[in-house]
């Protein structure tokens, strides 16, 4: 069996054919996918999709750039919403840091304050974190390392190998996206990190393994195939261990399984 540990189903890209997308995922032998929210509207739609399809396990959170825009009341409302729905979700996410288009120290500090609160919420609820860490991988890792958060998933990880190894050594997980099919940097991580610390994701509708084609959960199989090739192991062995990792993560805090 397979699992897509990160996808965005509450987007316009899937408005017209979501049922077919889920059917194709099941036919590709996926057991579940984790649909991830990025803001209040997205979180609500993601929870609604999960109510309609048991195959979908929801995660709710706040994207780093969205976090920059929150005022205090909105921030407290988000924290309360996640806490209120803790029995319905499998992860807090996506949350984290993103320095790609941000050099303003005030905005970065705001991202960190929000992320720190999400880490604390993870500790209290025992829910794992789904972490966005673009161009901020070391800071995100250090914040998680200094906490008691468990089974964190560093989503779509494209940082350097040294940080990926730190994540693995700390007992957290590195998520390999479907662009591992052609991305050399991601291939290095997939090859070198212990398979017991790897999961796979599509980040669909983004990062398709097929150029010019919309990504979708069924395509996570391509990531697992590539991991098996890079590690020179049988596909069924890669499939089995990566699925076991995925199941461990979502079962750690989720009450919905």
């Amino acid at each position: 069996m397979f699992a897509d540990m990160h996808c965005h189903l509450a987007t316009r890209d899937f408005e017209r054919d979501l049922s077919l997308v889920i059917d194709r995922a099941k036919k590709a032998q996926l057991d579940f996918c984790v649909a991830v929210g990025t803001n209040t509207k997205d979180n609500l739609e993601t929870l609604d999709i999960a109510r309609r399809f048991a195959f979908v396990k929801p995660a709710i959170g706040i994207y780093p750039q969205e976090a920059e825009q929150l005022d205090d009341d909105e921030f407290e409302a988000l924290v309360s919403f996640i806490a209120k729905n803790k029995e319905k979700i499998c992860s807090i996410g996506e949350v984290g840091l993103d320095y790609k288009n941000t050099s303003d120290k005030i905005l970065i500090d705001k991202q960190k304050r929000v992320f720190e609160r999400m880490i604390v919420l993870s500790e209290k609820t025992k829910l794992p974190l789904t972490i966005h860490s673009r161009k901020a991988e070391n800071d995100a890792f250090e914040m998680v390392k200094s906490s008691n958060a468990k089974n964190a998933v560093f989503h779509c990880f494209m940082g350097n190998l040294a940080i990926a190894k730190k994540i693995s050594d700390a007992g957290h997980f590195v998520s390999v996206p479907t662009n591992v099919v052609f991305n050399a940097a991601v291939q290095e991580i997939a090859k070198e990190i212990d398979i017991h610390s790897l999961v796979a994701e599509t980040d669909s509708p983004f990062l398709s393994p097929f150029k010019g084609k919309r990504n979708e959960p069924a395509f996570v199989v391509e990531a697992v195939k590539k991991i098996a090739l890079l590690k020179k192991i049988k596909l069924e062995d890669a499939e089995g261990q990566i699925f076991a990792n995925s199941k461990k993560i979502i079962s750690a805090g989720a009450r919905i399984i």
Side-chain angles (χ1 to χ4, degrees):
M1 299 297 291
F2 300 89
D4 180 359
M5 287 297 287
H6 194 112
C7 59
H8 298 276
L9 300 183
T11 67
R12 292 182 178 179
D13 301 77
F14 296 120
E15 276 182 346
R16 296 184 178 181
D17 65 344
L18 182 57
S19 295
L20 294 175
V21 166
I22 290 172
D23 285 345
R24 285 195 290 271
K26 292 177 179 178
K27 288 177 182 176
Q29 298 187 344
L30 271 69
D31 186 65
F32 65 89
C33 69
V34 176
V36 180
T38 59
N39 56 44
T40 300
K41 179 176 179 292
D42 208 38
N43 288 334
L44 288 169
E45 292 179 1
T46 298
L47 286 173
D48 182 61
I49 290 169
R51 280 191 289 267
R52 290 160 49 202
F53 302 98
F55 173 82
V56 176
K57 310 305 178 188
I60 56 178
I62 185 76
Y63 197 73
Q65 278 88 354
E66 299 271 0
E68 293 173 2
Q69 309 305 317
L70 293 178
D71 62 32
D72 290 343
D73 288 342
E74 290 170 330
F75 181 32
E76 292 304 324
L78 171 68
V79 173
S80 295
F81 182 78
I82 294 173
K84 179 181 177 181
N85 287 281
K86 66 182 185 295
E87 304 291 338
K88 301 176 183 177
I89 65 177
C90 70
S91 179
I92 298 172
E94 67 187 278
V95 294
L97 307 173
D98 190 322
Y99 298 168
K100 183 180 180 182
N101 298 312
T102 304
S103 58
D104 188 315
K105 186 178 184 301
I106 294 175
L107 294 179
I108 289 174
D109 286 346
K110 180 69 174 291
Q111 286 189 24
K112 286 183 175 180
R113 287 197 302 274
V114 173
F115 185 36
E116 178 62 34
R117 190 72 174 275
M118 296 297 104
I119 292 172
V120 171
L121 197 56
S122 170
E123 292 174 319
K124 289 180 178 179
T125 62
K126 308 303 182 186
L127 286 163
L129 293 159
T130 296
I131 299 172
H132 178 108
S133 60
R134 184 167 52 182
K135 304 296 182 182
E137 293 88 1
N138 193 64
D139 281 1
F141 169 70
E142 289 298 328
M143 289 178 70
V144 172
K145 178 185 175 184
S146 63
S147 75
N148 290 317
K150 307 295 183 184
N151 298 305
V153 177
F154 284 75
H155 133 74
C156 193
F157 190 83
M158 295 186 188
N160 65 50
L161 181 58
I163 298 173
K165 286 183 176 179
K166 288 180 181 179
I167 292 168
S168 174
D169 291 344
H172 299 299
F173 294 86
V174 175
S175 187
V176 178
T178 39
N179 69 349
V180 67
V181 168
F182 52 80
N183 186 303
V186 179
Q187 288 173 3
E188 181 186 26
I189 290 166
K191 180 180 178 181
E192 298 298 332
I193 296 301
D194 190 307
I195 196 167
H196 292 83
S197 299
L198 294 182
V199 295
E201 66 167 273
T202 61
D203 200 23
S204 54
F206 316 108
L207 302 181
S208 178
F210 306 113
K211 291 186 178 180
K213 190 171 185 178
R214 179 193 68 180
N215 206 1
E216 60 180 70
F219 297 165
V220 76
V221 176
E222 301 304 319
V224 179
K225 286 179 180 177
K226 190 66 177 182
I227 292 169
L229 285 171
L230 290 166
K231 290 187 172 298
K232 298 180 180 179
I233 60 177
K234 294 179 180 178
L235 174 59
E236 54 264 38
D237 292 338
E239 175 188 340
Q241 186 58 58
I242 291 171
F243 180 71
N245 298 342
S246 303
K247 198 74 172 176
K248 174 186 176 181
I249 294 162
I250 71 160
S251 297
R255 292 78 169 172
I256 60 172
I257 308 306

